Amino acid sequence: MATSTTAPDADRHEPLAGSSARTPARRPRGPRRSLLPYLLLAPAVVLELAIHVVPMVVGVWMSLLELTQFHIRNWSTAPFIGLENYRATLDFNSAAGRELLHSFWITLAYSVLSVGFAWLLGIAAAVVLQRPFRGRAILRALFLTPYALPVYAAVITWSFLLQRDTGLVNHVLVDQLGVLGERPFWLIGDNSFWSLLIVSVWRNWPFAFLCLMAGLQNVPGELYEAAAIDGAGFWRRLRSVTLPMLRPVNLVLLLVLFLWTFNDFNTPYVLFGGSAPEQADLISIHIYRSSFKTWDFGSGSAMSVALLLFLLVVSAAYLLITNRRRDDNA
Amino acid sequence: MRETAGERWGRRIVLTLLTLFVVIPLYVMVTSAAKPLQDVQNGFTWWPSRPTLQPFVDMWSTVPLARYLVNSLVVSSVAAICSVTVAIFAAFAVSRYRFRGRGVFSVTVLSTQMFPGILFLLPLFLIYVNLGNATGIELYASRTGLVITYLTFSLPFSIWMLVGYFDSIPRGLDEAAQVDGAGPLRILFRVILPAAVPGVVAVTVYAFMTAWGEVLFASVMTDEGSRTLAVGLQGYSTQFNVYWNQIMAASLVVSIPVVAGFLALQRYFVAGLTAGAVK
């Protein structure tokens, strides 16, 4: 389960700066005191370095090597081939390049649609649950359940629902409602993309709901009262009060959900197994398969680095655009 | 502010549709776990023809589920406890001290969570395999390797949520303890932690869930002995048969503890998210 939930947000510490700036005057100032925060952080920093930063550097280095099955046991002997792996995998005229490009477009469509639908369901649920009524707590807990389920248990259940001969979906559509004449396959062919999307929305929307619900708690009730006195109806209040107030939450939520969905490996892997159908061949599955099928870790790393660069550019652009808008509004 | 009839009906329709969407897979999970094998093989039925608890018995012998369960329990608990312990110290530093590099630390640690897992997978795989060959420290295909990997996955979010909880504890308490002569660690353990217990518990559950649900590393970095539930559940699909009733029974059993923990603590998750994201 990918579980990232927030973007870096450095300025949230600013209010603290004032209060802690006073402390040196009261406290004795010594080398121990100024070292202490670093000592406290050291374990976290070491672990993050060891498991995230160093492997990333190694990954970039690997992408410059001809790291095939002959060199995996002792990869210091792998020949350095510069950008050859990048040229081979990113050449969109070659078969490998075309497949990667195909995966990229599939993944982009999957991410945009999944995040869009997850957000829509999340906001709908958050808005209708804003007002207290009997059974609200139960519904809230129920709606969070898909997020709490381990991903493999949830997705395996969906894969059962989507089985051609024994699944609920075909039973309802074909046997009970009769809207389809013959039983379609849901996990291979063109339908597989939509199956993947629905499963992903089912898993993701509770997270959107959770964040939006948290955001709505911070909207002062007086704003709604004032809007109601001005004669604003439901949609008008949604557009003029709720959505603007949720803007900070949405900025973080949409970016996080997008990155999370774009990197998604678990859903397709559990739904389809190691080899996804071509129509639902997400990029992380594609890299995984091409790395471990041929044990060509060099190309796999090159594709991973290219993916990372793309995500960094998207995140930076998103943060820039949304920050500028925020300044314009201010 | 009164609710109009249109709004009330809109609410009912939205809630009904969402409830159906959420509940149907859960319903199928629960009812299929109580079906005999013929029932799940001969086409879907909404209700078991002969309800039985046999799948809950058989699932232990079809695959070595007990071993996977123990592996998952050990890996997830150790990873969660280590992750939260490390995060407590880091969050204390970020919440209570002003030091050079604090912003850089927060940004770097949190952004590592954004990177695709596949990016770390290949290098870590090679590092673990080569480290094993060179030094005899077995991280590849061992529970230790998984623990170390998983604890870093939940670390950034744990730190971030704990900073939120710690910030909400009044500084006056620290200062009072300081006047009494308490040092920083005493303040952390005697003042801040007791006040942040629900938050710490919520973060621990979160870290546990992260490890409990991880699939990518579990599928590459384990062997038959160290396999976790994430991969082990695939064992119910054999060449000859797919034991859907046992799969659903096993899914149910592995889900109940984390779902219960999450739902019991959801209030604190919302509080943690609010503290961080919604400023």
Side-chain angles (χ1 to χ4, degrees), chain A residues 44-55:
Chain A
V45 172
V46 168
L47 281 165
E48 287 296 319
L49 276 178
I51 304 299
H52 286 146
V53 181
V54 170

Side-chain angles (χ1 to χ4, degrees), chain B:
Chain B
M1 196 171 66
R2 300 233 5 191
E3 191 180 31
T4 64
E7 281 169 35
R8 194 172 321 123
W9 278 104
R11 188 184 75 197
R12 283 176 190 160
I13 292 167
V14 167
L15 288 177
T16 309
L17 292 177
L18 285 173
T19 306
L20 284 176
F21 185 46
V22 168
V23 162
I24 286 176
L26 301 175
Y27 172 83
V28 169
M29 189 196 279
V30 174
T31 53
S32 303
K35 287 178 183 175
L37 189 60
Q38 291 105 307
D39 267 32
V40 287
Q41 280 174 339
N42 296 343
F44 184 82
T45 51
W46 284 97
W47 188 250
S49 61
R50 287 164 291 136
T52 169
L53 291 178
Q54 199 58 34
F56 289 92
V57 178
D58 295 340
M59 67 183 188
W60 301 97
S61 48
T62 309
V63 303
L65 186 65
R67 190 200 309 155
Y68 303 151
L69 193 69
V70 169
N71 282 338
S72 275
L73 269 177
V74 169
V75 167
S76 307
S77 322
V78 177
I81 291 167
C82 295
S83 169
V84 172
T85 310
V86 170
I88 282 173
F89 290 109
F92 178 57
V94 173
S95 170
R96 290 306 201 249
Y97 291 92
R98 192 171 176 240
F99 54 92
R100 191 186 288 271
R102 189 172 71 167
V104 176
F105 172 80
S106 312
V107 170
T108 316
V109 164
L110 283 173
S111 50
T112 58
Q113 263 228 322
M114 299 292 143
F115 297 149
I118 194 88
L119 190 72
F120 313 119
L121 178 74
L122 303 181
L124 273 178
F125 177 77
L126 275 203
I127 291 172
Y128 284 4
V129 167
N130 281 286
L131 196 71
N133 291 344
T135 63
I137 304 172
E138 289 296 338
L139 289 179
Y140 173 69
S142 76
R143 296 193 293 205
T144 320
L146 274 190
V147 166
I148 296 174
T149 316
Y150 288 169
L151 87 90
T152 61
F153 287 175
S154 49
L155 193 53
F157 186 63
S158 303
I159 295 175
W160 180 68
M161 264 172 83
L162 284 176
V163 171
Y165 294 121
F166 290 178
D167 279 352
S168 68
I169 297 163
R171 249 140 234 282
L173 291 178
D174 299 25
E175 281 162 15
Q178 217 177 331
V179 170
D180 291 343
L185 289 181
R186 208 181 154 77
I187 292 176
L188 172 61
F189 286 110
R190 288 296 164 86
V191 179
I192 294 182
L193 277 185
V197 164
V200 173
V201 175
V203 172
T204 313
V205 169
Y206 164 80
F208 184 88
M209 283 171 61
T210 307
W212 193 253
E214 207 283 332
V215 176
L216 177 59
F217 284 76
S219 67
V220 175
M221 300 283 206
T222 56
D223 61 7
E224 189 48 38
S226 56
R227 191 155 294 163
T228 59
L229 293 167
V231 195
L233 247 48
Q234 291 165 10
Y236 290 103
S237 315
T238 66
Q239 225 176 324
F240 313 102
N241 245 330
V242 182
Y243 297 97
W244 281 115
N245 52 348
Q246 296 181 40
I247 296 180
M248 294 300 113
S251 300
L252 196 61
V253 167
V254 304
S255 301
I256 285 173
V258 286
V259 172
F262 181 85
L263 293 183
L265 294 165
Q266 45 140 331
R267 202 153 59 87
Y268 301 104
F269 284 100
V270 177
L273 284 170
T274 320
V278 193
K279 200 216 75 166

Side-chain angles (χ1 to χ4, degrees), chain A residues 39 112 123 137 154 159 167 174 215 225 243 266 293 296 298 305 324 327:
Chain A
L39 287 176
V112 170
I123 188 83
S159 126
V174 180
E225 304 289 343
L243 291 180
N266 300 333
K293 191 177 66 188
D296 183 356
V305 172
R324 179 168 317 145
D327 294 344

